[in-house]
């Protein structure tokens, strides 16, 4: 038995918290207590570290440089994109630095839809690599994947879960007893059946109460927990009414909010 390490780079919603604005320009906190450092959340992303030390980066959001340097992560071995919304892709250009550190094109996994959208928005990235071996822009070794598959990444078998994200589909990931289900509003039976017997369920929970068109709220997450009975549930992609202290005081046993910089482990057979 060994274990995988999960580093939470960012646990906020698409605007982060605080978002730009506020009376003094220092940020709009909504219902979040500015005095609680764990309410300062960057855009959602994690790193999964395999027992052999290789690292899989999940999404390349706009805060990527500060996230990796803050978490003291010196190298990434592969990237997977959950979907192509800006909060998950806007830091894509930083991959050129990750290319230099790896010394090779970056193995990267995405659905055909996500690759198509990345090519539309970052067309320069997908032109022929004419400066080899130097990396003046990101260079990917592209792998096209789809929900339902189990794909080997950094030596780990990663099961890909199709998730309803409102106006699009996102990919959830499962590795052993760990699952990362960000950017999801509904899970169908096929998805739920892939999330049984979890040790660690990391799940989108954007808001405490009002239903949102593209993200789960707390009652939905608690209904999934009731059904799936994971050993431990950790909330991510949290919006401006998901105050850390309120959540710690009010969530049921076994459910807790993540925070930027949190490190967790999951046993891996
Ligand atoms: Zn998102």
């Amino acid at each position: 038995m060994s274990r995988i390490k999960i580093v939470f780079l960012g646990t906020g919603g698409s605007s982060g918290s605080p978002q730009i604005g506020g009376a003094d320009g220092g940020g709009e906190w909504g219902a979040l207590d500015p005095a609680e450092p764990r309410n300062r959340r960057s855009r959602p992303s994690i790193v999964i570290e395999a027992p052999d030390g290789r690292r899989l980066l999940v999404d390349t959001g706009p805060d990527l440089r500060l996230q990796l340097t803050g978490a003291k992560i010196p190298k990434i071995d592969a990237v997977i994109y959950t979907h192509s919304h800006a909060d998950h892709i806007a830091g894509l250009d930083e991959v050129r630095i990750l290319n230099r550190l790896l010394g090779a094109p970056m193995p990267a996994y995405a659905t055909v839809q996500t690759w198509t959208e990345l090519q539309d928005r970052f067309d320069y990235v997908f032109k022929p690599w004419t400066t080899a071996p130097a990396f003046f822009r990101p260079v990917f070794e592209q792998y096209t994947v789809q929900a339902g598959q189990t794909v080997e990444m950094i030596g780990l078998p990663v099961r890909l879960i199709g998730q309803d994200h409102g106006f699009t589909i996102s990919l959830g990931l499962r590795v052993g007893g760990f699952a990362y289900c960000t950017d999801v509003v509904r899970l169908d039976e096929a998805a739920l059946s892939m999330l049984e017997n979890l040790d660690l369920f990391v799940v989108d929970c954007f808001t405490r109460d009002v239903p949102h068109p593209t993200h789960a709220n707390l009652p939905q997450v608690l209904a999934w927990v009731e059904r799936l009975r994971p050993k431990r549930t950790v909330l991510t992609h949290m919006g401006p009414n998901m105050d850390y202290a309120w959540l710690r005081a009010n969530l049921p046993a076994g459910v807790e909010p993540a925070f930027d910089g949190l490190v967790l482990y999951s046993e891996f057979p």
Side-chain angles (χ1 to χ4, degrees):
M1 202 75 155
S2 52
R3 57 187 194 167
I4 57 171
K5 178 179 178 181
I6 297 106
V7 181
F8 289 78
L9 298 181
T11 60
S14 63
S15 311
S17 67
Q19 60 179 37
I20 296 169
D24 65 354
E28 174 54 57
W29 291 89
L32 306 174
D33 175 6
E36 168 52 75
R38 284 165 289 197
N39 279 330
R40 186 174 286 277
R41 298 170 178 138
S42 61
R43 266 56 74 91
S45 179
I46 60 167
V47 167
I48 301 170
E49 190 175 308
D52 69 3
R54 281 184 287 173
R55 299 186 191 93
L56 174 67
L57 172 64
V58 183
D59 295 324
T60 60
D63 303 314
L64 184 58
R65 182 181 67 87
L66 293 173
Q67 291 172 329
L68 290 177
T69 53
K72 295 190 161 48
I73 291 176
K75 187 177 171 227
I76 291 294
D77 299 280
V79 174
I80 180 168
Y81 286 100
T82 58
H83 65 302
S84 63
H85 287 164
D87 52 327
H88 299 260
I89 67 168
L92 185 148
D93 200 70
E94 305 294 355
V95 171
R96 73 200 160 107
I97 308 298
L98 300 177
N99 284 134
R100 292 175 198 169
L101 293 164
L102 187 63
M106 180 62 66
Y109 305 84
T111 63
V112 67
Q113 181 190 1
T114 296
W115 280 128
T116 302
E117 291 174 14
L118 289 174
Q119 283 169 20
D120 284 348
R121 295 185 214 176
F122 296 89
D123 62 323
Y124 67 97
V125 167
F126 296 91
K127 291 183 175 146
W129 181 29
T130 55
T131 56
F135 297 94
F136 297 112
R137 47 100 170 149
V139 180
F140 286 124
E141 181 180 303
Q142 283 181 258
Y143 295 93
T144 301
V145 298
Q146 62 186 51
Q149 290 178 327
T150 300
V151 181
E152 187 175 305
M153 305 177 196
I154 59 164
L156 298 173
V158 181
R159 295 185 75 188
L160 301 173
I161 302 158
Q163 306 180 139
D164 183 346
H165 184 26
F167 306 106
T168 189
I169 301 293
S170 64
L171 287 178
L173 317 180
R174 177 166 184 166
V175 185
F178 162 69
Y180 181 64
C181 297
T182 193
D183 294 73
V184 56
V185 62
R186 276 173 296 273
L187 291 168
D188 65 13
E189 282 302 315
L192 288 166
S193 72
M194 295 172 77
L195 293 168
E196 282 164 5
N197 302 312
L198 289 173
D199 299 321
L200 177 57
F201 180 35
V202 179
V203 60
D204 180 356
C205 189
F206 182 69
T207 178
R208 265 161 54 177
D209 34 45
V210 199
H212 187 279
T214 59
H215 292 281
N217 62 358
L218 187 53
Q220 174 63 80
V221 167
L222 296 180
W224 287 332
V225 169
E226 182 72 22
R227 154 95 188 249
L228 298 168
R229 303 213 167 265
K231 288 198 183 112
R232 184 176 186 182
T233 300
V234 176
L235 311 181
T236 191
H237 212 296
M238 290 172 283
N241 74 0
M242 296 286 283
D243 180 67
Y244 187 82
W246 185 92
L247 292 164
R248 290 302 299 207
N250 289 281
L251 291 173
V255 185
E256 67 199 276
F259 55 87
D260 289 23
L262 175 65
V263 175
L264 296 176
Y265 295 87
S266 176
E267 297 298 328
F268 186 75

